[in-house]
Amino acid sequence: MRYDRILIRYGEMSTKGKNRNRFVVQLKRNIQKKLKAFPNIKIEYMRDRMYILLNGEPHEEIMEQLKTVFGIQSFSLAMKCKNDIEQIKATALAAVQQVEGKTFKVSAKRIDKQFLIGSNELNHTLGSHILRNTNHLTVNVHEPDIDVRVEVRKDGTYVTCYDIPGAGGLPVGTSGKAMLMLSGGIDSPVAGYLAMKRGLEIEAVHFFSPPFTSERARQKVIDLAKKLTRFGGKIRLHIVPFTDIQQTIHRQVPDGYSLISSRRMMLKITDMLRKKYNGLAIVTGESLGQVASQTLESMFVINDVTTTPVLRPLVSMDKTEIIAIAKKIDTLDISVLPYEDCCTIFVPSAPKTRPKREKVVHYESFIELEPLLQTAVANTETLIIDEEFSAEKEFEQLF
């Protein structure tokens, strides 16, 4: 007798009341996409949990994939049997023999009240059966190596022995769609990860300024987007040509305000793409007080170009906290590659940290920026990135 299914617990989704079914259906859809390489699995779901029936597929690889699916609180290998005490005893013994440990306890729940044996009696019966039929196990009810969890439900009895923490959060796609401003630095991929954790589907927007930024910088952003697809599935990456706008601002706007003006135009273009692709918000990697453009005064002036919600998941984090998440999601090594992006070129020697809205609007009034913005949007290149995306595939799509 082997483990034949994986039990998935929902966590936060359990609080969604009448909307719960919508979240559960989206979670099932996301899991199906994640596990498309395992054609024999079958997914069943109910109000408070979901089961993946393995049907011979390798559970180790499937469980590794489940760790990156948002909406899962925890999951466990499980066995199911009929509500028959002899079958439950045999299943509990088989389950405990397949995991490592020296001590155990039994935690039984009789959810089906028609079952004749109560939880306490079930604990004693199953514990005695395991002790009689194993040589190396002893009971420890406080800190056991193995917690044999037995749930007697109407549709059958489920046995699990250990839980694996899931990614938590909400299923990607349940909170709408937002545009992520993806620069290539450490912060914005982390912001994208946290946005997806709250259920947002993201499309990424990157500003590219050749010849001042290189093809390597462009590839770096593609690689970062590819890392994020592990958590949210396919990501549409918009690469916006920004050279003309950036050079115009550099020539026409006083040095101290050129950075603020560039950021305003980036936000404006991102908002134009948001409208085009039916997004509801913009996500940035800004953290309050980190650089000149991220003081509260600067954020106020930059934000002035749009009424669209701008979400800043990192706003209260310090750099150490952000780096810790970047390591966890495996984007840090890519982010620190020394290729300049449009945020690191044309940087003024003394950027304003307390800019005045009236001044930047006045400086921009001498430039015809709107045609440049329209041209940039019209010439934006869009790539569909997934976990298998490669430069070779991108090349093939050109023909």
Side-chain angles (χ1 to χ4, degrees):
M1 190 182 298
R2 305 288 299 175
Y3 286 106
D4 59 356
R5 67 196 63 215
I6 296 172
L7 182 158
I8 292 172
R9 302 175 186 86
Y10 300 150
E12 185 179 347
M13 287 163 48
S14 302
T15 65
K16 298 303 178 187
K18 293 179 180 177
N19 291 319
R20 183 187 306 177
N21 195 53
R22 179 172 68 84
F23 286 80
V24 172
V25 169
Q26 184 65 46
L27 176 61
K28 181 188 176 188
R29 198 175 294 145
N30 293 350
I31 291 174
Q32 283 175 324
K33 288 179 184 174
K34 192 74 178 177
L35 301 181
K36 63 184 179 184
F38 306 96
N40 295 321
I41 64 164
K42 185 178 177 186
I43 300 176
E44 295 178 348
Y45 67 92
M46 50 190 72
R47 182 176 172 78
D48 57 349
R49 56 187 51 196
M50 188 176 289
Y51 296 97
I52 298 175
L53 309 186
L54 294 171
N55 293 323
E57 298 285 7
H59 66 261
E60 297 91 346
E61 295 173 35
I62 291 174
M63 292 172 83
E64 195 60 34
Q65 295 287 327
L66 290 177
K67 291 177 182 176
T68 58
V69 178
F70 289 126
I72 298 177
Q73 181 194 37
S74 66
F75 54 93
S76 311
L77 271 175
M79 293 182 185
K80 182 182 179 183
C81 65
K82 292 182 179 178
N83 292 350
D84 173 85
I85 187 59
E86 293 304 320
Q87 288 199 31
I88 296 173
K89 285 161 66 176
T91 304
L93 179 62
V96 81
Q97 286 175 330
Q98 293 175 52
V99 295
E100 295 182 359
K102 295 180 179 178
T103 60
F104 80 101
K105 75 172 183 179
V106 177
S107 305
K109 284 185 182 177
R110 189 186 55 153
I111 297 169
D112 177 11
K113 300 305 179 188
Q114 302 298 315
F115 191 67
L116 297 178
I117 303 175
S119 299
N120 289 334
E121 186 178 350
L122 204 51
N123 283 338
H124 182 265
T125 301
L126 297 178
S128 300
H129 182 70
I130 291 171
L131 277 175
R132 280 196 301 271
N133 291 279
T134 55
N135 298 320
H136 63 292
L137 288 174
T138 57
V139 174
N140 182 339
V141 296
H142 299 295
E143 293 184 352
D145 297 330
I146 306 166
D147 185 1
V148 186
R149 296 166 69 173
V150 178
E151 290 188 7
V152 182
R153 292 171 166 257
K154 286 189 179 299
D155 65 317
T157 297
Y158 296 85
V159 179
T160 64
C161 282
Y162 64 98
D163 299 341
I164 297 173
L170 298 172
V172 172
T174 55
S175 297
K177 183 165 73 177
M179 313 304 283
L180 168 68
M181 298 178 72
L182 188 62
S183 69
I186 296 172
D187 300 344
S188 53
V190 174
Y193 164 80
L194 293 175
M196 287 190 287
K197 187 173 183 180
R198 295 313 303 160
L200 280 171
E201 173 190 356
I202 61 167
E203 294 193 12
V205 180
H206 176 68
F207 294 88
F208 188 48
S209 295
F212 305 103
T213 58
S214 67
E215 281 297 319
R216 287 183 173 180
R218 180 178 178 278
Q219 183 60 46
K220 177 181 171 182
V221 170
I222 292 172
D223 292 342
L224 286 171
K226 191 173 172 179
K227 287 288 182 185
L228 292 178
T229 62
R230 292 167 52 226
F231 305 97
K234 289 181 182 177
I235 290 178
R236 194 177 285 171
L237 171 62
H238 307 284
I239 301 178
V240 182
F242 199 58
T243 311
D244 290 346
I245 297 170
Q246 208 161 9
Q247 284 184 307
T248 302
I249 290 172
H250 183 62
R251 282 194 305 267
Q252 302 290 335
V253 175
D255 195 46
Y257 274 86
S258 61
L259 179 67
I260 297 297
S261 189
S262 293
R263 297 290 188 274
R264 283 163 57 89
M265 294 310 113
M266 289 180 184
L267 190 57
K268 254 189 158 179
I269 290 173
T270 303
D271 204 26
M272 293 163 75
L273 290 168
R274 175 199 65 76
K275 291 176 185 171
K276 183 176 180 180
Y277 292 99
N278 302 313
L280 296 171
I282 295 170
V283 178
T284 78
E286 292 167 310
S287 173
L288 190 59
Q290 190 171 167
V291 294
S293 64
Q294 294 176 19
T295 64
L296 199 54
E297 291 86 347
S298 296
M299 287 183 184
F300 176 80
V301 174
I302 293 168
N303 224 122
D304 183 61
V305 299
T306 180
T307 56
T308 299
V310 178
L311 309 179
R312 299 178 171 89
L314 313 184
V315 72
S316 64
M317 291 186 184
D318 61 34
K319 203 68 180 181
T320 304
E321 294 170 303
I322 297 169
I323 287 174
I325 299 175
K327 285 181 180 175
K328 174 184 165 186
I329 64 175
D330 198 26
T331 56
L332 182 64
D333 289 345
I334 300 172
S335 293
V336 298
L337 292 173
Y339 309 132
E340 288 196 322
D341 59 43
C342 63
C343 295
T344 59
I345 60 174
F346 299 124
V347 176
S349 55
K352 294 287 184 185
T353 56
R354 293 185 175 181
K356 304 296 182 189
R357 175 187 171 279
E358 296 75 15
K359 284 191 174 182
V360 73
V361 170
H362 174 70
Y363 298 140
E364 289 171 359
S365 69
F366 295 101
I367 318 170
E368 287 196 33
L369 284 168
E370 192 59 32
L372 294 175
L373 300 183
Q374 295 291 348
T375 301
V377 171
N379 293 329
T380 293
E381 178 188 11
T382 298
L383 304 175
I384 307 297
I385 310 291
D386 59 21
E387 291 188 61
E388 284 79 39
F389 185 89
S390 68
E392 290 76 15
K393 185 189 290 187
E394 182 191 357
F395 182 78
E396 289 170 4
Q397 289 173 351
L398 295 175
F399 299 93

